[in-house]
Amino acid sequence: LAYVARKDRSYRKRENFDDAQPLGGFGVVGDVIGYGLLNISYSAYMAWRGWGHNDLKAKQNFELMTRASTYTLATTTLLKTAIKEKRPGFPDDEASFPSGHAAASFAFASVITARHGWGWGGAAHALAGFIAISRVNDDFHYLHDVLAGATIGAAYAWGVHQNLINGADY
C-alpha cells in the first residue's frame, strides 16, 4: 500500500533544518541512538561476557541480538530500495519506508524483553517508542513508516527468540 500511494503524498519542504525539529535538541538523540547503537552495544557486551567469561546465556543473547538486527537491517534496506518513498520533509530523499531507526530500536527492545523480562523490556520499548516518534516529529518519516519498521524489528526479534528457545537450527 505504501508503494501504491507514494505518488499521492504532499511533501512539506522546510525552510531550514531548525523548523523541522519540534522536539528541539532531543530529536537528534533519537536519530543517533536509532542507527543501531543500542543493538551494537548490547551485542558487544554479550560477546565479552559470553566468550570472556564462558557464559552460555550471554552467547545466546549475543546470537539473538545479532541475528535479529541483521535480518531487520536486510529487510528494511531491501524495502527502502524497492519502494523508494520520499521523506515527508525531504522530498529529494527516497528512503522513507520503512523506518530503519524504528526497526532497529524495536528489534533491540523485543530482544531485551524476551531475554530479560518486562522490567528492562518496558524501558527498552519506551526508548524505542521515543526513537520512532522523534523520526516522525523531525519529518524524516510518516507514521506508517515507523509502524512498519517497528513491526519488522519486533517480528524478527520474537521469531529468532522462538527458534532459539525451541532449539531450531536457523
Side-chain angles (χ1 to χ4, degrees), residues 63 67 71 160 162-170:
E63 182 179 5
R67 286 181 184 265
Y71 299 157
V160 172
Q162 282 302 116
N163 283 338
L164 179 68
I165 64 172
N166 291 329
D169 184 23
Y170 49 83

Side-chain angles (χ1 to χ4, degrees), residues 19-107:
D19 291 342
Q21 296 273 338
L23 294 178
F26 292 111
V28 76
V29 174
D31 181 32
V32 172
I33 294 173
Y35 277 108
L37 181 64
L38 299 170
N39 309 54
I40 292 167
S41 299
Y42 180 85
S43 293
Y45 176 72
M46 288 299 155
W48 173 78
R49 292 245 341 159
W51 283 274
H53 296 91
N54 201 24
D55 183 344
L56 177 61
K57 185 174 180 181
K59 288 179 185 178
Q60 291 173 335
N61 292 345
F62 166 80
E63 182 179 5
L64 175 59
M65 182 65 76
T66 302
R67 286 181 184 265
S69 299
T70 301
Y71 299 157
T72 297
L73 176 64
T75 301
T76 56
T77 301
L78 178 68
L79 288 171
K80 282 178 181 286
T81 303
I83 294 174
K84 295 185 187 225
E85 182 176 34
K86 295 178 182 180
R87 294 187 187 274
F90 306 92
D92 298 333
D93 187 349
E94 294 182 332
S96 188
F97 183 85
S99 170
H101 284 69
S105 62
F106 275 90

Side-chain angles (χ1 to χ4, degrees), residues 121-146:
H125 274 86
L127 184 57
F130 167 75
I131 291 168
I133 290 167
S134 75
R135 304 305 288 164
V136 173
N137 282 323
D138 291 348
D139 272 345
F140 284 100
H141 289 289
Y142 297 102
L143 180 60
H144 69 268
D145 298 338
V146 297

